[in-house]
Amino acid sequence: MAQSQFHLGWFLGNSYGVHGWLDQWGGGTARNWSDPSLQIDLARAIDRACFDFVLLEDSSFVPDNYGSSMDFYLKRASRAPKNDPLPLVPLMLQATKHVGIVPTISTSFYPPFLLARLMATLDLMSEGRVGCNFVTSTAERAAQNFGLTEHIEHHTRYEMADEFVEVVKQLWDSWEADAVVADEAGQMFADPGKVQPINFEGKFFSSRGPLNTARPAQGHPVLVQAGGSPQGRAFASKHMDVVMAAVSTVEEMKKFREDIRARAAANGRDPDSCKVVYQFLPIVAETDSQAQEILAARQAAKDPADILAAMGSIFDIDFSIYDLDAPLAELTTNGQQGTFQRFMAMGNTLREIADSFHFALDEVAGSPDTVAAQMQEMMEEAGGDGFLIAGDLNRRYVAEITDGLVPALQKRGLVRTGFSKTQFRENLLEF
């Protein structure tokens, strides 16, 4: 395949939560937000369009940062209500043939054995089509839901995450690939010599093992992470198959990828085995002028409160107490460090920051061919392995991407038109 090809994924923010309940094209989601058919329709559409994977974001708390109250978040359906996305995974797998499904779990709160067994089960039932997105969790309210009075310190969370991944990898390896022999004549289902305890004793976790299910179909499910801080990047470059980058310029794209690849090489890894994908929110319309009108209207309608409440919930900061137009005092967070540094660098006042901050590449707008051409230019200039579509979920937008943008990319030879492999990791490593 041509070296210029790149991968496509879909980042499903607020994955099993409320989508577009006030949008013109949101359908009946206000009434049936917990009906999984919207997410299943997404999986089917991106499977047809030859996406490599969909990532199901998650969080486990009701924010109360903005205005020191849950009111703003509950009224806007921002992060709550939200169902656990894990039950979506087998439904989405059953509805598709090729696309990888990647749920999110917290290394700060999930027991490693439970996670290792769950992901092994899903990988076996799908014959190798699942991944796992590891987060350390950022919010103190989430920590309090799991019995802690305050959240674990940021650097310590990444120490835990590093050990967590070591445990689950060893548990997946506790069964050799050929341990299941199903020998009827010899009356031996699993070879006892190929299943061993791991006897892991660490600083944060311990587990005897072995798993009580077999080795995952892929050996290890695909490992995914998004962390912009130095600790997050170190963690990702050591363990991850896919690293998500939330950046907003081509220069940032290039710097992020170069840093991850250098770190991966320093860890003795082939940098090509660690795929960097960029969050991307394109606007696709029939013509360039229509798309630009939509972009201008969205920018004009931006409410600083929405941005500040959302960011406050991942930084554990109540931005409502600050004057929007006064110089912002020095702030610190135990939340998302990398995102916080980018956020604070966007201006001197909260209004400037809210107007300027972009969580992803979100200013590309045009016809399908125009957007495809810009994606090609960005990737040629910055390098990288793919884009992660992260726009709001409604069936119209899904069609604009899968039936409008993707064919334009395919005509340019930039993305796959089919799958020659059967497993998620094999497809990722194909180019």
Side-chain angles (χ1 to χ4, degrees):
M1 291 201 172
Q3 290 298 306
S4 60
Q5 277 201 321
F6 50 77
H7 299 274
L8 290 175
W10 194 292
F11 179 84
L12 185 51
N14 207 41
S15 56
Y16 200 2
V18 181
H19 294 278
W21 69 287
L22 293 176
D23 294 347
Q24 184 175 6
W25 305 105
T29 52
R31 298 184 304 276
N32 58 10
W33 67 273
S34 58
D35 180 344
S37 60
L38 179 63
Q39 288 83 359
I40 293 169
D41 283 352
L42 168 68
R44 286 188 175 120
I46 65 174
D47 194 46
R48 286 195 306 271
C50 300
F51 275 59
D52 281 79
F53 66 98
V54 56
L55 187 145
L56 307 176
E57 177 271 345
D58 194 28
S59 58
S60 54
F61 67 104
V62 180
D64 63 354
N65 306 93
Y66 200 71
S68 297
S69 168
M70 296 187 293
D71 292 2
F72 183 93
Y73 300 93
L74 291 172
K75 287 178 179 178
R76 303 283 180 99
S78 175
R79 287 186 173 243
K82 179 188 286 187
N83 291 332
D84 190 318
L86 263 300
L88 281 177
V89 176
L91 297 178
M92 297 171 84
L93 287 167
Q94 195 165 32
T96 56
K97 295 179 180 178
H98 304 287
V99 68
I101 312 295
V102 184
T104 294
I105 67 93
S106 172
T107 57
S108 299
F109 309 134
Y110 238 87
F113 186 93
L114 183 64
L115 183 279
R117 184 183 187 222
L118 176 60
M119 294 309 302
T121 301
L122 291 169
D123 205 49
L124 286 164
M125 71 161 55
S126 66
E127 298 182 324
R129 281 205 291 129
V130 298
C132 188
N133 176 43
F134 294 100
V135 298
T136 61
S137 296
T138 60
E140 190 162 281
R141 290 295 187 231
Q144 291 168 348
N145 287 340
F146 290 90
L148 303 175
T149 54
E150 58 184 31
H151 204 358
I152 304 157
E153 189 273 331
H154 178 268
H155 292 17
T156 305
R157 296 202 303 268
Y158 273 105
E159 279 187 68
M160 290 178 65
D162 187 73
E163 190 173 292
F164 186 105
V165 174
E166 290 290 353
V167 179
V168 297
K169 283 182 173 180
Q170 288 190 31
L171 285 166
W172 290 327
D173 291 340
S174 65
W175 287 61
E176 294 182 27
D178 57 352
V180 174
V181 294
D183 178 6
E184 295 181 19
Q187 297 189 352
M188 180 171 69
F189 189 83
D191 184 342
K194 297 184 177 183
V195 182
Q196 302 294 333
I198 65 169
N199 294 315
F200 186 96
E201 294 287 343
K203 181 178 177 182
F204 304 100
F205 305 106
S206 62
S207 181
R208 178 185 182 275
L211 279 183
N212 63 334
T213 186
R215 182 179 174 85
Q218 299 178 93
H220 298 169
V222 172
L223 308 185
V224 184
Q225 196 256 350
S229 69
Q231 294 78 21
R233 295 182 190 208
F235 174 60
S237 61
K238 182 178 178 181
H239 296 291
M240 298 298 124
D241 302 302
V242 179
V243 184
M244 297 179 289
V247 296
S248 56
T249 67
V250 172
E251 183 181 1
E252 285 182 309
M253 290 169 67
K254 190 172 185 178
K255 285 183 178 179
F256 187 97
R257 182 171 188 256
E258 288 174 348
D259 183 52
I260 291 293
R261 288 176 65 82
R263 290 173 183 268
N267 281 315
R269 298 182 62 193
D270 175 2
D272 289 337
S273 70
C274 185
K275 304 297 184 183
V276 176
V277 295
Y278 307 104
Q279 287 199 42
F280 185 48
L281 285 73
I283 293 173
V284 184
E286 282 81 357
T287 65
D288 292 351
S289 60
Q290 287 179 355
Q292 291 296 328
E293 285 176 15
I294 295 169
L295 176 61
R298 287 188 187 175
Q299 290 174 333
K302 280 170 71 173
D303 182 352
D306 286 327
I307 297 169
L308 297 176
M311 292 296 103
S313 73
I314 64 174
F315 302 149
D316 271 328
I317 295 174
D318 182 3
F319 287 118
S320 74
I321 66 175
Y322 299 99
D323 185 331
L324 284 176
D325 298 302
L328 193 59
E330 192 72 27
L331 297 174
T332 60
T333 182
N334 189 35
Q336 287 188 15
Q337 301 284 322
T339 305
F340 182 70
Q341 296 303 323
R342 289 185 63 241
F343 182 82
M344 294 297 290
M346 290 292 171
N348 295 315
T349 69
L350 278 180
R351 192 182 301 279
E352 289 176 2
I353 292 170
D355 286 343
S356 303
F357 182 72
H358 298 275
F359 198 70
L361 300 156
D362 63 356
E363 292 190 318
V364 175
S367 68
D369 194 58
T370 295
V371 174
Q374 290 187 55
M375 293 171 74
Q376 182 173 9
E377 289 173 13
M378 285 190 290
M379 200 59 84
E380 286 175 351
E381 184 175 348
D385 303 295
F387 289 98
L388 197 58
I389 304 296
D392 293 337
L393 179 63
N394 62 64
R395 289 177 174 89
R396 174 172 172 155
Y397 185 69
V398 172
E400 288 168 350
I401 299 299
T402 60
D403 300 328
L405 176 59
V406 170
L409 291 167
Q410 290 171 333
K411 286 177 184 176
R412 291 172 172 266
L414 297 172
V415 298
R416 66 168 81 248
T417 56
F419 294 88
S420 61
K421 312 292 184 182
T422 58
Q423 294 187 342
F424 181 11
R425 177 177 280 101
E426 293 174 333
N427 290 323
L428 275 177
L429 295 177
E430 190 176 6
F431 50 85

